[in-house]
Amino acid sequence: MRHPMLRLAADVRTRHLAPALFALLLSACGGGGGGGAPPPAPAPAPGGPVADGGGEAAQEALVELEAEPAGPRCAAGGTRVQSGIDSDADGVLDDAEVTRTAYVCAEPVSATAPAWRAGTLLSTDNATAATMPDVAANSAGETVAVWVQDGQVWASRRTGALAWQAPQPMSGPAARIESPRVAVNAQGQAVAVWVEVVPMGGYRIRASHRPAGGAWSTPVDAGASGAWMIKRPAVAMDPAGNAMVLFSHFDSTGDQLYAARYTAGMGWSPAVSLASGVTTSDPQIGMDAGGNAVAAWHVSDGSRTVVRASRHTMAGGWAPEVDISNPAPASAVGQPRLVVAEDGGAVLAWAQEGGGVYLRRYAPATGWNPTLLQPTSRATSGDLALALDAAGRPAVAWVQWDGAIKNLYVGRQRAEDGWEPPALIEFDSGEVIQPRLKVDSAGRLLAVWQQSNGTSYDVRANRFMADAGWGLPAVLETSPADVPAGSPQLALSGDGTATLVWEQDAAVWFGQFR
């Protein structure tokens, strides 16, 4: 039985997509994150011809997927991929029209082969809805998850292959709790922050700490409270147990961006303002091994959108904010993604509508280096994910409009200078949102995203193996198709175990790659 065909406009997509796609598939032959549930999924776009620049209808390139049984081409079976131009425009890839055949082979299944494990319920007491999950992991193999349920923040942890501990509430009931975030360091110390709506009105940032192997502390205010809205905190932790929280606080002049520092053994300092009088959203923060921090955020001042950043040092505090995406282009600038390395270096990535994916590196000795463009990308200004390998080389996942649907691509920087061709890592007709990306010490890339199935959204994943390339996408949740899965968050521990958490059907679920 043949799978539905993927239609590609010959003049629009085959030049850009087909070479990278087939190179990817051939290389694999023989081997192998906001929050809230998404809105109702749009219906898949029709695959009609696409007009070229002169207004004439372009011929379509069709890609047909068909199951390949186990045999000499693929020992464990796989997928045969055939492509060609639909010369007679009948919407069917006839045998005479096939010009290329490739095979994506499944990996032989063994007890020790790395694989995605099926989704399992994490929030075990589901008398009330569980939402807004987050997850963090450390190099020692510990994973910590938090979520909102019954007006409280709940948490659970696991180490290595051990089972999750029984979920426990870390906060008392509140009128409303939003956006819990968690961080854990290599020593097993953890910090969680969240937004709490107080009974008499107003908002505040609350925080709880947990010593290695211990219990969560009584929550305290973390730097700010007020009658105006507080939203979208970000949190980071250093090896000594110090932490930093970054959040936007709306008042009569607009969103103000604040940061507050936690000093181990002393508590939270008063919040300081990093930006004011502008609209900020989706802040990012990371800390290095010395306790220094880098923060980045997206700003709109009414006439342009830019990415800005600031660095905090133990000796000098926060430096003045700088425009990272300056000079601002006419196209829209998307939300930034930030990764901070232990040595104090950092990489910041963002997308520009119609302009591609841009990156800038920070080095403590030289500051922000010139902007780099990830070549041949045509990213939207929205969803983006960033990861660094052990050598500091970036990999970026982005959502790209390909004329009919939004697809997911990944670009990797090679060991030498330059970038590998972008890889399309999913082959479905449903649009993609909310990509997540991690890379482990062995150089394996793990990508997770949400994708429309026509009536709802699934959580899906794919992985890159150095000796086999990208595999086939896998659906990680098995609930009915009309029950959307949302808020996927991904963490990678030092033992190579990737943990994904998401919300679905009023519960929090997890899946693992190990």
Side-chain angles (χ1 to χ4, degrees):
M1 177 179 177
R2 293 188 172 186
H3 297 274
M5 286 179 293
L6 304 179
R7 289 185 169 91
L8 313 178
D11 63 337
V12 174
R13 294 186 62 177
T14 50
R15 288 200 311 268
H16 175 70
L17 170 62
L21 173 59
F22 284 119
L24 168 65
L25 296 175
L26 290 173
S27 70
C29 184
V50 177
D52 60 20
E56 297 178 357
Q59 287 183 310
E60 287 183 315
L62 300 183
V63 178
E64 186 176 67
L65 310 181
E66 186 175 0
E68 175 69 17
R73 292 191 180 92
C74 292
T79 300
R80 181 165 71 250
V81 184
Q82 293 182 312
S83 72
I85 301 298
D86 186 16
S87 302
D88 55 10
D90 64 351
V92 177
L93 185 63
D94 301 320
D95 291 341
E97 295 172 333
V98 174
T99 59
R100 191 72 178 270
T101 301
Y103 298 87
V104 178
C105 299
E107 295 180 8
V109 177
S110 71
T112 59
W116 285 103
R117 313 299 181 183
T120 305
L121 199 63
L122 180 57
S123 56
T124 54
D125 180 9
N126 290 301
T128 56
T131 61
M132 303 182 188
D134 192 32
V135 66
N138 66 12
S139 58
E142 181 180 4
T143 303
V144 181
V146 296
W147 63 92
V148 176
Q149 188 171 14
D150 198 24
Q152 302 175 88
V153 178
W154 290 68
S156 183
R157 64 180 289 267
R158 66 181 296 167
T159 302
L162 299 178
W164 288 94
Q165 292 184 347
Q168 297 290 332
M170 71 169 70
S171 69
R176 188 168 80 244
I177 289 177
E178 300 174 347
S179 304
R181 298 291 184 264
V182 65
V184 59
N185 65 14
Q187 287 68 42
Q189 300 165 303
V191 57
V193 299
W194 61 91
V195 178
E196 182 176 300
V197 180
V198 299
M200 299 303 293
Y203 292 74
R204 60 183 178 179
I205 292 286
R206 300 284 277 173
S208 176
H209 292 79
R210 194 208 65 189
W216 290 96
S217 67
T218 300
V220 297
D221 287 349
S225 62
W228 297 86
M229 180 180 295
I230 298 176
K231 58 184 179 180
R232 292 184 178 178
V235 68
M237 197 175 205
D238 71 12
N242 306 308
M244 194 80 75
V245 62
L246 186 69
F247 58 94
S248 57
H249 185 180
F250 182 80
D251 67 15
S252 59
T253 64
D255 274 348
Q256 316 296 311
L257 189 70
Y258 287 89
R261 178 180 173 84
Y262 174 83
T263 302
M266 299 180 62
W268 288 95
S269 64
V272 297
S273 176
L274 302 188
S276 61
V278 296
T279 300
T280 65
S281 61
D282 205 15
Q284 304 274 297
I285 194 165
M287 299 183 74
D288 63 24
N292 307 303
V294 177
W297 59 94
H298 178 261
V299 173
S300 172
D301 62 7
S303 61
R304 61 175 187 156
T305 55
V306 297
V307 173
R308 289 179 179 164
S310 178
R311 186 169 187 260
H312 179 278
T313 62
M314 298 292 292
W318 287 102
E321 60 180 308
V322 294
D323 280 359
I324 298 300
S325 56
N326 213 22
S331 58
V333 175
Q335 305 292 342
R337 293 294 178 260
L338 172 72
V339 177
V340 177
E342 292 185 356
D343 64 1
V347 175
L348 186 59
W350 68 94
Q352 293 177 191
E353 188 73 45
V357 175
Y358 293 80
L359 298 96
R360 288 190 73 174
R361 286 184 177 273
Y362 177 86
T366 59
W368 289 100
N369 295 330
T371 302
L372 299 175
L373 171 66
Q374 204 291 332
T376 70
S377 66
R378 296 174 297 158
T380 69
S381 61
D383 293 334
L384 192 75
L386 171 68
L388 299 183
D389 66 14
R393 293 185 296 266
V396 185
W398 67 88
V399 176
Q400 180 168 307
W401 176 253
D402 279 331
I405 56 174
K406 292 181 179 179
N407 287 317
L408 183 61
Y409 288 80
V410 175
R412 302 171 63 244
Q413 192 174 46
R414 290 191 290 259
E416 63 276 10
D417 291 340
W419 291 80
E420 295 180 357
L424 176 69
I425 68 168
E426 48 80 27
F427 316 122
D428 206 336
S429 59
E431 79 162 2
V432 173
I433 61 174
Q434 294 193 5
R436 306 288 185 257
L437 188 67
K438 297 292 182 181
V439 58
D440 66 15
S441 58
R444 297 181 301 192
L445 281 172
L446 306 172
V448 173
W449 64 94
Q450 290 179 255
Q451 188 158 24
S452 168
N453 58 30
T455 60
S456 181
Y457 279 85
D458 301 324
V459 175
R460 306 188 185 192
N462 202 344
R463 70 185 186 274
F464 174 89
M465 309 285 285
D467 59 349
W470 288 98
L472 290 175
V475 177
L476 300 188
E477 48 79 25
T478 57
S479 293
D482 59 347
V483 179
S487 303
Q489 303 294 338
L490 182 64
L492 183 66
S493 61
D495 64 357
T497 299
T499 300
L500 172 74
V501 296
W502 68 91
E503 64 177 71
Q504 187 171 27
D505 201 15
V508 171
W509 300 73
F510 79 94
Q512 287 191 314
F513 174 83
R514 64 177 188 271

